[in-house]
Amino acid sequence: MNEHLDDQEILKRFRTENPDYAFNLLVKKYQERLYASIRKVLINHDDTNDVLQETLIKIYQNLDTFRSDSQLFSWMYRIAINEALGFIRKQKRKYVFATLSYEDSLIQSLRADSFFDGDELQKKLQEAILKLPQKQRLVFNMKYYDNLKYDEISEMLKTSKGALKASYHHAVKKIEKYLKED
Amino acid sequence: MKRLNDIPKKDPFKAPDGYFETLPDAVRDKIQAEKQKEVKPGFFTVLKPYLYFAGFFIGLAFIIKIGLNVFTGDYHNQQITDNQTETIESEYFEYDMISEETIYAALSDEISEEENEISEETMIAYLTQDDYSSILYYE
């Protein structure tokens, strides 16, 4: 029954009653959505697991500062994406002198992924997405998979709505071009 | 001809079986571990407030010492001592500022007076003596 508590009720319990119990409810409510968003950015499950756990710890540590005038999941999602981007930055530093780029390593990881649940066409679509520049890839995932509005993406990535629309349009064109090959 | 709309939209990434059942506990354990870290401060962290206190009292003692000197008159005595020091220093500077020429002139005057005194008496004695050996000797 508690699983269906709304965000405000969970927040109230976090602040007044039992924070650990309330946070546990919050994790159970949103863990799959957060996992899916991070996984599409990082591809690899182990990396996703590390970043998701760090994200949830940060959420716990900062939940007191959350202002109720915005959506709780948007706030959590933003922390998750920031953590994922921070993880990518660190990884890219490791690949500076490598013969393989970080993006190519993600494609290899995708091809070898035993947890990938899709056909060849789905795999090719993911490869096409991985070929996009990082920001275009992020915009595409946010719009196409996570169904975010341009306003929300604009606030998160500090980019104008016009630039985001153009970015998404270019991303779709590139993906379709890649899918037509072969 | 593949268009994006022709591909069914689905999330193809799945997590390992049982992952979401264990994740909340794993996160809770990590949070507890973080709390433990916060509870156990380092040696310097423990010592820091005491160092602040010590510094504060040393500073306070210093201020009180100065304040006592001012109000009990020690400060006035200190001022007199300082004035005396200034006088000695100024005398020293005055002596130091006497030029070399002045010193040489003073010395040469003394010498010439002595020479004059000696020369008149000696000259008379010298002219009136019979013994010319000294003259011969000087020649």
Side-chain angles (χ1 to χ4, degrees):
Chain A
M1 193 176 101
N2 281 336
E3 302 288 328
H4 302 291
L5 287 175
D6 66 22
D7 292 349
Q8 292 306 318
E9 186 60 34
I10 293 174
L11 280 172
K12 189 181 161 193
R13 290 191 181 197
F14 182 84
R15 285 167 183 156
T16 59
E17 292 173 23
N18 187 341
D20 289 348
Y21 177 70
F23 185 72
N24 196 47
L25 294 178
L26 198 66
V27 172
K28 283 180 179 169
K29 187 174 179 181
Y30 290 119
Q31 59 182 351
E32 289 182 44
R33 282 175 75 184
L34 288 173
Y35 176 89
S37 299
I38 298 170
R39 180 77 188 272
K40 278 193 282 292
V41 177
L42 301 180
I43 306 298
N44 181 295
H45 165 74
D46 292 333
D47 294 344
T48 304
N49 177 42
D50 290 344
V51 170
L52 179 56
Q53 291 198 18
E54 285 304 311
T55 300
L56 291 169
I57 290 167
K58 282 209 169 159
I59 289 168
Y60 179 87
Q61 289 169 337
N62 294 287
L63 200 55
D64 271 335
T65 65
F66 170 72
R67 289 180 301 171
S68 304
D69 54 352
S70 60
Q71 290 290 313
L72 182 59
F73 180 72
S74 296
W75 179 75
M76 293 167 72
Y77 180 89
R78 195 177 306 178
I79 293 172
I81 294 299
N82 279 339
E83 285 293 307
L85 292 177
F87 181 86
I88 288 175
R89 273 195 295 277
K90 282 182 198 162
Q91 290 298 309
K92 279 188 173 177
R93 269 182 236 137
K94 292 180 189 170
Y95 280 83
V96 168
F97 298 109
T99 50
L100 200 69
S101 72
Y102 175 65
E103 285 74 16
D104 288 339
S105 80
L106 290 182
I107 291 173
Q108 284 195 354
S109 181
L110 174 72
R111 286 172 183 164
D113 194 347
S114 55
F115 299 120
F116 189 84
D117 184 27
D119 55 19
E120 281 306 307
L121 191 57
Q122 288 287 348
K123 196 166 267 189
K124 195 164 184 186
L125 171 60
Q126 290 305 319
E127 282 184 21
I129 296 168
L130 281 174
K131 294 273 182 189
L132 296 172
Q134 187 181 301
K135 194 163 183 182
Q136 252 179 38
R137 185 157 78 93
L138 202 58
V139 172
F140 181 82
N141 280 334
M142 286 175 162
K143 185 71 191 156
Y144 184 77
Y145 285 112
D146 298 335
N147 297 315
L148 294 187
K149 292 172 184 161
Y150 281 119
D151 287 329
E152 293 173 292
I153 303 172
S154 171
E155 197 188 327
M156 250 181 259
L157 301 181
K158 309 290 178 208
T159 310
S160 69
K161 274 171 67 177
L164 290 173
K165 282 178 184 175
S167 188
Y168 182 74
H169 177 76
H170 287 304
V172 171
K173 290 290 169 201
K174 284 181 192 172
I175 288 166
E176 289 184 338
K177 190 183 172 196
Y178 188 83
L179 292 173
K180 283 173 195 168
E181 289 173 3
D182 289 343
Chain B
M1 293 290 281
K2 291 282 186 300
R3 289 178 59 82
L4 193 59
N5 291 338
D6 299 333
I7 302 171
K9 192 195 277 191
K10 65 171 272 190
D11 184 357
F13 297 104
K14 62 173 186 177
D17 290 339
Y19 173 70
F20 292 115
E21 280 77 53
T22 58
L23 181 67
D25 289 343
V27 173
R28 188 197 59 212
D29 291 346
K30 273 199 169 184
I31 289 170
Q32 292 303 323
E34 291 283 326
K35 282 183 183 174
Q36 293 282 322
K37 270 191 218 168
E38 287 168 14
V39 170
K40 278 188 177 177
F43 176 72
F44 186 70
T45 315
V46 173
L47 205 64
K48 206 155 61 173
Y50 296 105
L51 289 174
Y52 285 147
F53 267 114
F56 172 74
F57 284 116
I58 289 167
L60 193 67
F62 186 69
I63 290 164
I64 290 170
K65 171 79 176 146
I66 290 171
L68 284 173
N69 282 349
V70 169
F71 291 111
T72 56
D74 282 355
Y75 180 71
H76 182 67
N77 291 340
Q78 182 67 31
Q79 272 190 323
I80 291 166
T81 314
D82 286 347
N83 289 340
Q84 285 170 342
T85 311
E86 267 177 38
T87 313
I88 292 161
E89 278 176 357
S90 63
E91 281 173 1
Y92 173 78
F93 275 109
E94 278 171 17
Y95 174 76
D96 196 41
M97 286 168 75
I98 296 167
S99 67
E100 285 183 2
E101 287 80 7
T102 316
I103 294 166
Y104 288 142
L107 288 171
S108 63
D109 286 349
E110 283 171 17
I111 292 164
S112 62
E113 278 170 16
E114 270 178 34
E115 276 175 353
N116 287 340
E117 278 173 25
I118 293 163
S119 64
E120 283 174 11
E121 289 167 3
T122 316
M123 190 64 74
I124 293 161
Y126 176 73
L127 291 169
T128 53
Q129 71 180 355
D130 295 330
D131 186 7
Y132 294 99
S133 60
S134 61
I135 298 169
L136 291 169
Y137 175 78
Y138 279 111
E139 281 177 348

